[in-house]
Amino acid sequence: MKDFTSCSGENGVQIADSSSSSSNAGKISQNLVICIYRCCIRGVDDSCNRSLCKVEIKPWLFTKRKGSKNLEAYSCNIDVLWDLSSAKFGSSSEPLGGFYVGVVVDKEMVLLLGDMKKEAFRKTNAASPSSSLGAVFIAKKEHVFGKRTFATKAQFSGDGKTHDLVIECDTSVSDPCLSVCVDGKILMQVNRLHWKFRGNDTIVVNRISVEVLWDVYSWFFGVPSSPRNAVFMFRTCRSVEKTFSLTQVPTSSKPQSFGFTMFLYAWKNE
């Protein structure tokens, strides 16, 4: 599988310390997540005035739970602002509520996450996006930790609905089985996993076809003394690699035309 970070291109906005990479995941057993949104930015010449915003959330790096950052790119003035001082978290790195993260380009709010939208606009005094498209959630990379169960949230369509995604696998038994559950329903099972440690299949979620690729080789044949992780990829429509490599982007206003891709790194806690 192509490395996720290389797929995001050079136009990402990273809200994290660049000196700490995801390679630290084996040392620090905390979930971390990267989300990529496609936004409309005026003045950026990429055929359709669209660009990418990457939001990287590493919980141990948010010593400043409220702050801002200013930068310039493509002759645009970009302000990144966040307030996580009252954020509520669950098992995931993604806050559930009580927060905002905003990206303002030349006084226009091109990306706004969280439920404190009024506070974000008051703080930034920014204008609403000029385009009716808004930001589209197109890709996600997450590291999760567990013994036999790995849970996260996934969004497979442009309607904003999130699904509970659970991967279960007990590698301590003689004949392990891999299960993929969505919203409590088992949609995929892989038996004889020792022989099928890599593969792909297709599941259907709300009439949407989702391709599932897995690589659990390290769970069985990795160095026992080293952290071991499996890699899963879920993708709808077109893959993130194809989306990011295009020089011409489709002009369709439907968010689902871009598809959604998620990379999930499942680390075994022995």
Side-chain angles (χ1 to χ4, degrees), residues 131-148:
S131 170
S132 60
L133 271 180
V136 181
F137 186 23
I138 60 172
K140 178 180 180 181
K141 170 185 173 183
E142 186 170 5
H143 292 256
V144 294
F145 296 79
K147 291 186 177 181
R148 56 170 295 176

Side-chain angles (χ1 to χ4, degrees), residues 2-16:
K2 188 175 180 179
D3 181 74
F4 182 90
T5 307
S6 65
C7 295
S8 63
E10 299 177 354
N11 300 332
V13 177
Q14 179 174 329
I15 310 174

Side-chain angles (χ1 to χ4, degrees), residues 83-88 95-101 113-117:
D83 187 349
L84 296 162
S85 56
S86 302
K88 300 175 182 178
L96 302 175
F99 79 102
Y100 71 80
V101 176
L113 309 179
D115 55 353
M116 296 172 57
K117 300 186 186 299

Side-chain angles (χ1 to χ4, degrees), residues 8-252:
S8 63
E10 299 177 354
N11 300 332
V13 177
Q14 179 174 329
I15 310 174
D17 184 355
S18 60
S19 63
S20 297
S21 67
S22 59
S23 61
N24 291 331
K27 299 178 181 179
I28 305 176
S29 295
Q30 293 189 29
N31 293 358
L32 58 101
V33 61
I34 298 174
C35 299
I36 292 184
Y37 295 79
R38 196 165 191 93
C39 309
C40 295
I41 299 178
R42 291 180 300 176
V44 177
D45 184 14
D46 62 350
S47 301
C48 291
N49 283 340
R50 290 172 179 162
S51 192
L52 301 176
C53 286
K54 181 176 73 169
V55 179
E56 184 169 358
I57 302 176
K58 296 180 180 180
W60 64 90
L61 292 174
F62 274 105
T63 52
K64 286 186 61 178
R65 299 177 68 86
K66 184 177 183 179
S68 63
K69 185 176 181 179
N70 178 266
L71 59 149
E72 289 187 9
Y74 298 102
S75 301
C76 295
N77 186 48
I78 302 174
D79 292 295
V80 182
L81 304 96
W82 66 91
D83 187 349
L84 296 162
S85 56
S86 302
K88 300 175 182 178
F89 290 85
S91 57
S92 172
S93 297
E94 296 177 89
L96 302 175
F99 79 102
Y100 71 80
V101 176
V103 178
V104 179
V105 179
D106 291 338
K107 302 297 183 179
E108 181 180 309
M109 187 79 73
V110 299
L111 175 66
L112 180 56
L113 309 179
D115 55 353
M116 296 172 57
K117 300 186 186 299
K118 290 184 179 179
E119 176 69 17
F121 276 106
R122 185 191 66 80
K123 182 73 175 178
T124 61
N125 200 26
S128 299
S130 57
S131 170
S132 60
L133 271 180
V136 181
F137 186 23
I138 60 172
K140 178 180 180 181
K141 170 185 173 183
E142 186 170 5
H143 292 256
V144 294
F145 296 79
K147 291 186 177 181
R148 56 170 295 176
T149 303
F150 307 89
T152 185
K153 300 282 186 180
Q155 180 177 313
F156 298 117
S157 64
D159 59 7
K161 183 178 180 181
T162 58
H163 301 271
D164 293 319
L165 175 63
V166 178
I167 296 173
E168 294 185 1
C169 182
D170 186 356
T171 56
S172 64
V173 299
S174 58
D175 188 13
C177 171
L178 176 69
S179 299
V180 175
C181 306
V182 178
D183 295 333
K185 298 180 181 180
I186 298 178
L187 299 185
M188 190 187 86
Q189 280 189 319
V190 181
N191 298 310
R192 302 183 65 192
L193 198 58
H194 276 123
W195 301 99
K196 300 177 182 178
F197 49 82
R198 293 189 183 102
N200 66 286
D201 203 347
T202 301
I203 61 177
V204 178
V205 181
N206 288 354
R207 299 182 179 179
I208 298 175
S209 295
V210 180
E211 186 178 6
V212 183
L213 297 89
W214 68 88
D215 183 346
V216 299
Y217 178 88
S218 294
W219 278 356
F220 300 106
F221 309 110
V223 180
S225 58
S226 301
R228 294 178 293 166
N229 74 288
V231 183
F232 299 88
M233 183 166 69
F234 300 82
R235 62 184 179 187
T236 65
C237 196
R238 288 158 46 190
S239 69
V240 71
E241 293 93 333
K242 293 179 181 177
T243 300
F244 291 165
S245 63
L246 289 177
T247 55
Q248 296 287 332
V249 224
T251 56
S252 170

